[in-house]
Amino acid sequence: MHIPDGYLSPSTCAVMTAVSLPFWAVGLRRVKAAFSARLAPLISVCAAFSFVVMMFNLPLPGGTTGHAVGVAVAAIVLGPWASMLAISVALLIQAVFFGDGGITAFGANCFNMAIAGSFVADAVYRAIAGAAPLGSRRRVVAAGLAGYVALNAAALLAGIEFGLQPMLFHDASGAPLYCPYPLGIAVPAMMLGHLAFAGVAEGILAAGVVAWLQQNEPSLFEIHAAAGRGRAQRIGWAVVLALVFAAPLGLIATGTAWGEWAVEDFSKPEARAAVAAASGNVEPPAEAPGGMARLAELWKAPLPDYAPAFLHNAAAGYILSAGAGVALTGAAALGLQWLARGARRRNPVG
Amino acid sequence: MGVLAMTPVFELEGVGFRYPNAPALDGVSFSIAPGQCVALLGANGSGKSTLLRLLAGLAFAQAGHVRFQGGELTEAALADDAGGLEFRRRVGVVFQNPDAQLFNATVFDEVAFGPLQMGWSREQVLERTGEALRALDIEALRERPPYRLSGGEKKRVALASVLVLDPEVLILDEPTAALDPQSQARVIDFLFERLGERTVIIATHSLEVAREIADTCAVLSGGQLAAHGPAEGILSDEALLRSTHLLHVHRHRHGPGSAHSHPHQHS
Amino acid sequence: MRRDFLEKTLRNLGDALDEAGRAESSGPLRRLDPRVKLAGFFGLILAAASSRHLPVTLGLWGLGATLAAVSGPGAWRAILRLWAGVGLLTGAVALPALFLTPGPALDWGVTQTGLQSALTLLVRVETTATFASLIALTTPWPALLKALRHFHVPALAVVIFAMATRFIFVLLGIARDAFEARRARHVGHLPGKLRRQMAASGAAMLLGKSIQLSGEVYDAMRARGFRGEAVTLDEFRCSRADWAAAGLFLALTGAALEWGCWR
Ligand SMILES: Nc1ncnc2c1ncn2[C@@H]1O[C@H](COP(=O)(O)OP(=O)(O)O)[C@@H](O)[C@H]1O
Ligand SMILES: [Mg+2]
């Protein structure tokens, strides 16, 4: 989820930073109005909290563990503006001191996780919790869903940012200069891991924390009330939600979206011949591989109105298989890295 | 001595304070004369830290009055730019939790923080910070981040960061808590030597510390003032100390086979 | 038995605590004014990120490797580890692109454009990561924080940033103690639900402690005159060598942009 340097073009990074700037400016002003001089200690300590929480290994159903960002917890307790600032500071520290996430990609990472994450979490939590009493079970569920949806929204944005790269930036021979995967691969590849693991971890953390606070420190829910809300907050929601949900639809509407391998081409004979030639005379499947149908279901379930026409296309499975391939190789790489780290710990070099 | 010298540094009159979900102080009245060293005694949760917050102008009395050199301490009085800043310079606070007190990235930044907020010139900031580092023998730690320091070193950095402003009143919250005996002794020695004419207010539940440095004692119990007066009188009043949970009675051994009960202090 | 989440979390926390003291480098970069270093490397990262020609990116990677090599054995080892880690991850991400990118076919289903784009991505990511790590490896954190004050970052933002780095260590310590206490109390394998509850309650307790700590810090700041506006001290002197280095960085960045991007 932390995008490193080099995957996004500098112009993409500049745009993402420019989009983030007004949020930071308005956020700083609003949080200052709400907390006055308390702002500095509150934001810095909460940034440190988010940093430390990102190191937690959360046990997931099925025996694996995952990491959370803590953005839903921060948004619920501090409100979206303060949460956005705190997570941004945590991301900056990770980028500068720990090499986690790029320096040029900082604006993009902040927009995805800190800004969109905070606003989506806040919107989902409020929508589901409604006026339920502070100690109610409904708030626990709302927090869990807020975490799940917020992290997946962040992953979707990251997937879109990746997927736009090959469309916009390639060299003279047509080779992509940055992330090489078009939307049709990048988005599912990002989403699979987050729908199945990271989003679940975030949801478990948020639900668990809210349940614990209800029992032990209900007064912490009052901080948010002090932060107030109003028109700026609604504008924040509107901008973020529009970007998260309208951007993919807009991309599809413009027709160019799903990259060089337009999905429909798989059913046209001449296009299939061209693809076959391009891939060393290996005939691409006329139908999506059958086993992929289940994956397509998984992909369809959480975002029902996300490009339905595209999903009903059988070729979606083909693209999903490519996405799953990327996800699997990513997982394998992480596994190798983990092994390498284990080896390093046993024979420390430095 | 003139009349001015007789004006108490702090004067409390029927002071009450409660947190949203817990009462902390109720009807506390006493005053502190200039140059005095006052030990604020009380068991955990008796309201010592809260009282210090009121004296330091970090929280404000909800009932009664707190006066500093005759002027009432209110939020409005401290919000005034010049007056508020001057009060902060004259009243220094060393907090109990060194992790909260030391919030800067290096020891130097920590000690320079107060002078910078006072708006002193660059030269003055550098000079005074250097002096304070020397006075507490922590020059070698100058560029170190606070998280790498020992408990005793953290305490000395905290003292330097407050003394750099040369305050007339020094407020210390449990200065020897969580220190090993040697560091404790060092802090007490330091307080003994350097604080000559300053007014000092120390919150502690250690009778030993009170015995070593206090002229006057105030005893808090459940948010109320249980006693106030010269140190010798209060520290030798066993009944009072026992009723305010500063002394415990329990059985333990003195030599072979002679278990018996007598008042006993845990610090 | 499989490593427990408690063990993993404790290891992560410990690693982060150790990592902080790692700026054990030497050489010219170490002595360079942190402001020059920060701006210079940022320029180089930008140049590497903008480069459209593989040879130029490779040249920048060579520059990064040389700088790492002259920054002492500690920094060099750290960069080698970084290359291995980044190489594995980005290599795996780029691998399918070899086959999936449309273009003239080479052997084994690899396309030429696929090869080109996978290599471009790999070298670019290695290069930018090298530059970024060199900043952190050759500059003590406090100096880096001070350098930020010179780039028109608002003083309050710098203070928040500096305080956050400070409190990471406090909270890492608190979290480690809490998880160690839990590990001591629970031996053996716990059911999943209980483990999840344990992790979440650990985080919740940490949040409670964080908010309480922020209140105490607020008191400590106010007691020393803080009123919401930060005042900081400028302590840098640029030597002639620093100016020369700044010029060199500028020239290299300009050259890389010229050949890699604008031509
Ligand atoms: N920030 C706070 N919020 C709510 N209650 C508090 C807070 N600080 C202290 N209290 C309560 O006020 C009472 C007095 O606490 P304190 O002044 O810290 O006592 P002491 O320093 O003597 O241990 C205690 O009951 C404590 O629980
Ligand atoms: Mg106390």
Side-chain angles (χ1 to χ4, degrees):
Chain A
M1 173 62 84
H2 289 56
I3 303 174
D5 281 323
Y7 281 75
L8 301 181
S9 77
S11 51
T12 313
C13 294
V15 168
M16 295 313 290
T17 309
V19 175
S20 301
L21 272 174
F23 281 94
W24 287 324
V26 175
L28 210 55
R29 221 163 2 125
R30 287 188 58 86
V31 177
K32 209 167 174 179
F35 296 105
S36 62
R38 241 203 104 151
L39 164 118
L42 189 70
I43 298 297
S44 51
V45 173
C46 288
F49 165 78
S50 156
F51 182 97
V52 174
V53 159
M54 288 192 227
M55 317 235 134
F56 281 24
N57 271 83
L58 296 163
L60 301 180
T64 53
T65 59
H67 289 271
V69 175
V71 62
V73 172
I76 291 166
V77 172
L78 301 175
W81 297 103
S83 149
M84 175 195 93
L85 294 179
I87 308 269
S88 298
V89 173
L91 291 175
L92 185 60
I93 291 174
Q94 288 189 316
V96 174
F97 294 123
F98 290 87
D100 234 349
I103 290 179
T104 54
F106 173 65
N109 281 325
C110 276
F111 187 81
N112 302 345
M113 285 185 269
I115 300 175
S118 297
F119 277 99
V120 170
D122 184 55
V124 172
Y125 178 71
R126 299 265 202 102
I128 296 174
L134 269 189
S136 68
R137 184 103 197 119
R138 185 162 161 183
R139 285 191 182 264
V140 177
V141 174
L145 281 171
Y148 186 75
V149 177
L151 212 70
N152 279 299
L156 177 61
L157 286 170
I160 292 173
E161 286 148 23
F162 283 141
L164 288 176
Q165 301 304 310
M167 284 172 57
L168 302 175
F169 311 99
H170 32 72
D171 68 7
S173 70
L177 283 164
Y178 300 95
C179 173
Y181 303 106
L183 288 165
I185 295 176
V187 171
M190 277 306 283
M191 295 309 292
L192 276 177
H194 286 83
L195 287 170
F197 301 107
V200 179
E202 187 76 26
I204 284 175
L205 181 83
V209 167
V210 166
W212 193 90
L213 293 180
Q214 284 178 335
Q215 294 292 314
N216 301 286
E217 298 251 13
S219 65
L220 287 197
F221 291 117
E222 285 155 26
I223 301 173
H224 188 172
R229 51 194 83 114
R231 207 159 55 92
Q233 180 138 336
R234 281 195 292 279
I235 295 172
W237 281 348
V239 172
V240 166
L241 294 180
L243 275 166
V244 172
F245 294 106
L249 293 175
L251 288 169
I252 289 159
T254 59
T256 51
W258 298 99
E260 282 85 61
W261 309 277
V263 179
E264 314 77 56
D265 292 352
F266 283 101
S267 45
K268 287 186 222 146
E270 64 280 14
R272 287 185 58 205
V275 174
S279 31
N281 275 324
V282 180
E283 204 45 15
E287 286 286 318
M292 285 299 146
R294 261 184 298 143
L295 270 176
E297 284 304 308
L298 177 73
W299 166 232
K300 217 187 319 186
L303 289 168
D305 41 19
Y306 184 89
F310 165 69
L311 283 169
H312 294 313
N313 190 323
Y318 185 77
I319 283 177
L320 260 175
S321 68
V326 174
L328 282 177
T329 40
L334 283 175
L336 282 172
Q337 208 187 19
W338 177 78
L339 282 177
R341 273 183 71 186
R344 216 197 309 141
R345 290 185 63 76
R346 278 188 293 279
N347 334 295
V349 229
Chain B
M1 263 193 239
V3 184
L4 216 66
M6 300 312 292
T7 315
V9 180
F10 282 110
E11 216 178 334
L12 295 107
E13 200 183 305
V15 169
F17 186 88
R18 58 173 295 134
Y19 292 101
N21 40 14
L25 293 172
D26 179 24
V28 176
S29 308
F30 69 99
S31 56
I32 297 169
Q36 250 185 358
C37 181
V38 185
L40 198 55
L41 292 164
N44 283 336
S46 58
K48 302 183 296 294
S49 297
T50 307
L51 186 56
L52 294 189
R53 291 187 72 219
L54 295 181
L55 296 179
L58 298 169
F60 300 93
Q62 292 157 349
H65 305 276
V66 179
R67 288 190 202 92
F68 174 69
Q69 300 189 331
E72 176 119 18
L73 272 186
T74 59
E75 194 150 14
L78 288 186
D80 161 44
D81 271 354
L85 219 51
E86 183 57 14
F87 176 80
R88 300 293 181 208
R89 195 198 63 69
R90 290 167 72 177
V91 179
V93 193
V94 177
F95 292 86
Q96 179 175 357
N97 179 0
D99 284 332
Q101 171 109 39
L102 308 179
F103 49 83
N104 285 282
T106 64
V107 168
F108 177 86
D109 284 343
E110 194 62 60
V111 179
F113 183 87
L116 281 169
Q117 304 308 309
M118 294 301 149
W120 293 354
S121 73
R122 187 192 148 82
E123 288 67 37
Q124 210 178 354
V125 169
L126 289 175
E127 188 193 315
R128 296 288 282 275
T129 304
E131 273 170 24
L133 290 171
R134 270 193 297 283
L136 280 132
D137 194 19
I138 48 174
E139 278 169 299
L141 310 178
R142 201 183 147 99
E143 292 305 324
R144 289 263 291 276
Y147 72 92
R148 287 274 157 101
L149 303 179
S150 72
E153 286 169 338
K154 280 183 186 167
K155 228 7 146 216
R156 274 186 287 153
V157 175
L159 273 168
S161 72
V162 170
L163 290 175
V164 67
L165 295 175
D166 194 21
E168 292 149 40
V169 180
L170 188 63
I171 294 176
L172 302 127
D173 198 353
E174 313 252 6
T176 58
L179 290 185
D180 61 63
Q182 199 196 340
S183 311
Q184 254 184 44
R186 205 161 163 182
V187 168
I188 292 177
D189 283 350
F190 177 84
L191 292 177
F192 221 29
E193 284 165 23
R194 309 274 175 126
L195 299 177
E197 64 286 17
R198 285 195 173 95
T199 308
V200 180
I201 304 155
I202 296 185
T204 181
H205 57 252
S206 156
L207 297 181
E208 208 178 318
V209 172
R211 250 179 221 118
E212 296 236 23
I213 46 182
D215 310 318
T216 312
C217 288
V219 182
L220 281 176
S221 174
Q224 295 186 321
L225 191 68
H228 176 240
E232 309 88 73
I234 287 185
L235 292 173
S236 55
D237 186 345
E238 261 179 34
L240 169 74
L241 297 178
R242 219 169 306 155
S243 70
T244 53
H245 305 288
L246 287 161
L247 273 183
H248 282 284
V249 180
H250 69 171
R251 293 173 70 81
H252 65 170
R253 284 178 182 279
H254 282 260
S258 58
H260 64 174
S261 300
H262 72 137
H264 182 86
Q265 184 209 341
H266 293 271
S267 56
Chain C
M1 201 183 71
R2 191 165 26 83
R3 263 230 187 80
D4 197 36
F5 79 99
L6 272 176
E7 298 292 336
K8 285 192 208 160
T9 303
L10 277 168
R11 200 188 53 200
N12 289 345
L13 297 173
D15 280 356
L17 276 169
D18 293 343
E19 189 128 355
R22 74 193 169 136
E24 29 157 283
S25 54
S26 53
L29 279 184
R30 178 80 188 191
R31 292 189 293 273
L32 194 57
D33 185 305
R35 291 170 298 174
V36 173
K37 213 178 331 185
L38 204 59
F41 277 119
F42 188 73
L44 288 176
I45 289 172
L46 221 54
S50 312
S51 164
R52 296 166 156 269
H53 298 300
L54 195 52
V56 174
T57 323
L58 267 173
L60 287 170
W61 177 82
L63 175 65
T66 314
L67 288 174
V70 300
S71 294
W76 177 244
R77 276 197 300 267
I79 292 288
L80 286 181
R81 283 202 295 271
L82 174 86
W83 285 341
V86 170
L88 271 175
L89 190 68
T90 303
V93 168
L95 194 65
L98 289 177
F99 312 99
L100 289 174
T101 315
L106 303 174
D107 281 336
W108 304 310
V110 173
T111 65
Q112 196 193 320
T113 36
L115 187 62
Q116 176 100 14
S117 61
L119 271 179
T120 307
L121 182 72
L122 186 63
V123 176
R124 189 198 303 290
V125 172
E126 291 273 13
T127 307
T128 47
T130 306
F131 289 144
S133 299
L134 278 174
I135 304 176
L137 280 170
T138 61
T139 323
W141 287 20
L144 206 50
L145 290 169
K146 278 186 194 155
L148 279 179
R149 292 175 195 166
H150 290 262
F151 295 108
H152 291 284
V153 180
L156 189 62
V158 177
V159 165
I160 289 176
F161 189 46
M163 284 172 63
T165 59
R166 159 87 184 91
F167 287 118
I168 280 174
F169 295 103
V170 176
L171 297 187
L172 279 172
I174 293 176
R176 196 177 48 178
D177 293 349
F179 279 114
E180 243 152 30
R182 272 149 214 251
R183 180 173 61 175
R185 262 183 283 135
H186 298 278
V187 197
H189 200 73
L190 296 167
K193 186 163 183 229
L194 207 63
R195 283 183 298 147
R196 280 191 283 284
Q197 265 174 7
M198 213 151 109
S201 68
M205 221 155 55
L206 192 66
L207 181 66
K209 283 242 167 84
S210 304
I211 304 273
Q212 187 196 340
L213 182 66
S214 81
E216 291 178 29
V217 173
Y218 179 43
D219 273 359
M221 295 177 83
R222 274 193 301 165
R224 276 147 72 196
F226 180 76
R227 341 190 81 205
E229 290 308 323
V231 193
T232 50
L233 194 64
D234 164 7
E235 261 201 309
F236 292 111
R237 295 258 185 287
C238 246
S239 71
R240 203 168 291 162
D242 291 324
W243 284 112
L248 195 61
F249 270 120
L250 202 64
L252 284 168
T253 306
L257 282 173
E258 169 69 20
W259 280 301
C261 179
W262 293 329
R263 254 196 205 169

